[in-house]
Amino acid sequence: MTVSDTLVPYPEAIERYEPVIGLETHVELGTRTKMFCGCTTAFGAEPNSQVCPVCLGLPGSLPVVNRAAIEYTIRIGLALNCTIAEWCRFARKNYFYPDMPKNFQISQYDEPLCTDGYLDVEVNGKTVRVGIERVHLEEDTGKSLHVGGATGRIHGAEYSLVDYNRAGIPLVEIVTKPITGTDADAPVAARLYVTELRDLLRSLHVSDVRMEEGSLRCDVNTSLAPRGASQWGTRTETKNVNSLRSVERAVHFEIERQAAVLDAGGRVIQETRHFHEDTGTTTSGRSKEEAQDYRYFPEPDLVPVAPPRDWVEQIRASLPEAPAARRARLRAEWDMSEADMTALSNAGALDLVADTVAAGASPADARKWWLGELSRRAHDTETELAVLAITPAQVARVAALVAAGTLNDRLARDVIDAVLAGEGAPDEVVEARGLAVVSDDSALTAAVDEAIAANPEVAAKIRDGKIAAAGVLVGAVRKATGGKADAARVRELILERLT
Ligand SMILES: [Zn+2]
């Protein structure tokens, strides 16, 4: 076993070392067309069907900047409290990689569009202000597919295919300043930062921010220094961290690994590492390139970008309420606990509950249906709540039918099942299936009499004053009526007859 394979248990590692983390997040913008050409950006098309001379880098082709991508980037920069450059240029980042057709990437280097902002993140009841170093715009690369190996990686593959559909899609990189002082919470802080950033980006409508489809990607930097040291340690950069949970696990693992290296008197190597979802570990990738390796120079085929100030102010005025402010406002309006709000956020149900409340349901009812029954349905079918075939207005209608006594909870679940199965709106289902609660005495009396006749011993007990036994008869009546009987009224009718 080598030094790099051993780990120091997390609490011990934190006792002796202070972690500093940093995050570089790549966001694919949801523009209709690519960064420098008119090719569509739609996801999931046939490989190499969305390409043209510009994004394939053919000789003589010239790029033109996508205005919407500039606008989206300014939106992101303003939402992150950044300064928007009055004048900036794109740069060529030179490196050779098969999924990059031009052998350089058009990016931004020393003149990013947005600089020096921040994002506040709640970590275990404490506000951590994460500094934003820069937000810059670049183009995405294509995608390599390694065929024939066991792991899908290039090692062991027989051959590789490349798909350039993604090449040239606008990509925003958001780089934090080093995040210090989070101590044992560093892994959680990393996850919560990415979560907050994702929610913010979603609210700005600039990207669909799906980590599983790669439209939000994260590299996590971690370094450790002995407590009280005047200098930070050497950082590693962990790539391919493709879920929120993995962000936390990657930092956690790197802290335990680097502590072991330092304990043994070794030094942490500045390198790129790969995160492995199955084991929660990282392994060494390549040693990290320095900026000079990329031979950056200003992109000669593009004019500088100089967004007019009135345009920037117009964009600022159009920004939506920030997710954190919205959560605080809704929490107060709905009178919910912080834990309830967190549960709604984590389930992706905040907007659905807001829409259900707007359609007339009480916050408690909206929360109950979305986090209970509907979350179960989403889980069973492995889909997200938002794509279930029921609208917030329909959920509000079901809640109203329950509140009015037309449905009980069991019937309401049947109605929801039918709506999800495409049988129509709640009222149509109630009508078509005859699902309404039966509280009409004439319809219930016969069933009550039958239940009493069929259970003479129970009836005798009730006559003797053991009223609790009535539950058995209520159950029998409800069973006989397919769950539709109004339980409270049935109980009254039974007691009227037997006491
Ligand atoms: Zn193109």
Side-chain angles (χ1 to χ4, degrees), residues 297-321:
F297 61 85
E299 169 57 55
D301 286 342
L302 288 169
V303 293
V305 175
R309 291 297 98 179
D310 54 350
W311 187 41
V312 172
E313 289 315 310
Q314 227 176 309
I315 296 170
R316 191 195 304 276
S318 75
L319 290 182
E321 184 181 24

Side-chain angles (χ1 to χ4, degrees), residues 132-196:
I132 304 295
E133 177 83 32
R134 58 190 280 149
V135 178
H136 78 241
L137 189 50
E138 59 190 31
E139 57 179 336
D140 208 347
T141 59
K143 246 184 195 164
S144 299
L145 182 68
H146 306 296
V147 186
T151 59
R153 292 180 184 269
I154 195 162
H155 300 287
E158 285 169 32
Y159 59 94
S160 298
L161 298 169
V162 67
D163 174 10
Y164 291 119
N165 282 353
R166 201 179 67 178
I169 289 185
L171 197 62
V172 159
E173 182 170 341
I174 300 164
V175 183
T176 68
K177 294 176 181 172
I179 305 166
T180 60
T182 54
D183 280 338
D185 284 338
V188 179
R191 171 171 58 80
L192 292 175
Y193 162 77
V194 180
T195 309
E196 190 68 34

